[in-house]
Amino acid sequence: ETGVTQSPTHLIKTRGQQVTLRCSSQSGHNTVSWYQQALGQGPQFIFQYYREEENGRGNFPPRFSGLQFPNYSSELNVNALELDDSALYLCASSLAGSLSDTIYFGEGSWLTVV
Amino acid sequence: AQRVTQPEKLLSVFKGAPVELKCNYSYSGSPELFWYVQYSRQRLQLLLRHISRESIKGFTADLNKGETSFHLKKPFAQEEDSAMYYCALGSSGTYKYIFGTGTRLKVLA
């Protein structure tokens, strides 16, 4: 059984550019959540996908978008990057998205916007 | 507004001393509270959840609805407990977690 994997681990982008971050969920999990963790802060919920449909969204602008694929892997896309988007982006998967399910985090993708 | 507050950024204790990591929450419904831990160079992982009323690695946490608190406690700290600890509030209906800013626990030899 493989855990949650994310790619890339680190990347640097210029303000105004677009970025795509990828996540492979743990085997058997159909729910993926994305979190943004700025330096010195706790993770902040961006959105969740359950069986390829968005199932909840946090207070993030529409330039943050996502996809979930039939194999339950997921992408986070951020358009028109701003300096404040610099953060660790965490992906987490769970069996069915219920709070009673344990969620498993990946190691994250470090994004630096310059 | 739903909020989780962890008032201490850093807590240093000596090995063998008791530990209490504070967590207060603000939530109008029936809360589900969790503690997550991140050891050095490892990913964030679940430590315990209030609904299970379990003890993991000697840690316990009791939900106090009157004081809206969910403090994490351990009677005798070990060096391997040194890590970043996050308190999280589950928001039912949206399946999202609201995390606190975290407390770094340092257990000194």
Side-chain angles (χ1 to χ4, degrees), chain A residues 4 35 37 40-43 45 48 55 97-103 105-107, chain B residues 9 32 34 36 41 43-44 46 49 86 90-92 94-97 99-101:
Chain A
V4 178
Y35 287 81
Q37 186 173 17
Q41 302 296 316
F45 178 75
Q48 182 185 77
N55 189 36
S98 164
L99 288 176
S100 61
D101 296 327
T102 299
I103 64 171
F105 283 89
E107 293 184 322
Chain B
K9 280 193 177 300
E32 296 202 37
F34 306 80
Y36 278 80
R41 297 194 181 87
R43 60 191 68 195
L44 197 57
L46 177 67
R49 67 184 86 203
Y86 293 95
S91 181
S92 62
T94 62
Y95 310 118
K96 74 176 183 181
Y97 291 84
F99 285 85
T101 51

Side-chain angles (χ1 to χ4, degrees), chain B residues 42-85:
Chain B
Q42 294 188 27
R43 60 191 68 195
L44 197 57
Q45 58 187 286
L46 177 67
L47 179 62
L48 55 78
R49 67 184 86 203
H50 91 270
I51 204 165
S52 310
R53 303 184 66 82
E54 57 198 344
S55 172
I56 304 292
K57 299 185 179 184
F59 284 98
T60 58
D62 289 319
L63 178 60
N64 185 324
K65 291 187 178 180
E67 296 182 359
T68 60
S69 68
F70 187 57
H71 302 328
L72 184 68
K73 299 177 184 179
K74 184 169 182 176
F76 307 104
Q78 302 298 315
E79 286 181 76
E80 55 265 30
D81 295 329
S82 294
M84 195 73 183
Y85 291 81

Side-chain angles (χ1 to χ4, degrees), chain A residues 9-30:
Chain A
T9 53
H10 294 82
L11 71 167
I12 300 173
K13 289 286 189 177
T14 303
R15 191 171 46 181
Q17 283 188 313
Q18 178 266 344
V19 69
T20 297
L21 307 177
R22 295 178 176 83
C23 171
S24 292
S25 56
Q26 185 153 316
S27 177
H29 287 183
N30 58 23

Side-chain angles (χ1 to χ4, degrees), chain A residues 31-46:
Chain A
T31 303
V32 171
S33 301
W34 285 92
Y35 287 81
Q36 181 196 65
Q37 186 173 17
L39 212 56
Q41 302 296 316
Q44 268 198 292
F45 178 75
I46 304 175

Side-chain angles (χ1 to χ4, degrees), chain A residues 46-99:
Chain A
I46 304 175
F47 43 56
Q48 182 185 77
Y49 279 83
Y50 171 68
R51 293 190 174 180
E52 304 177 58
E53 298 282 334
E54 188 179 288
N55 189 36
R57 190 176 180 92
N59 293 328
F60 281 83
R63 58 190 186 84
F64 285 78
S65 63
L67 279 175
Q68 188 179 31
F69 300 101
N71 65 356
Y72 303 131
S73 66
S74 177
E75 283 182 359
L76 165 65
N77 297 289
V78 187
N79 293 323
L81 284 167
E82 301 176 0
L83 297 179
D84 284 348
D85 296 333
S86 296
L88 177 67
Y89 288 85
L90 294 168
C91 170
S93 76
S94 60
L95 196 56
S98 164
L99 288 176

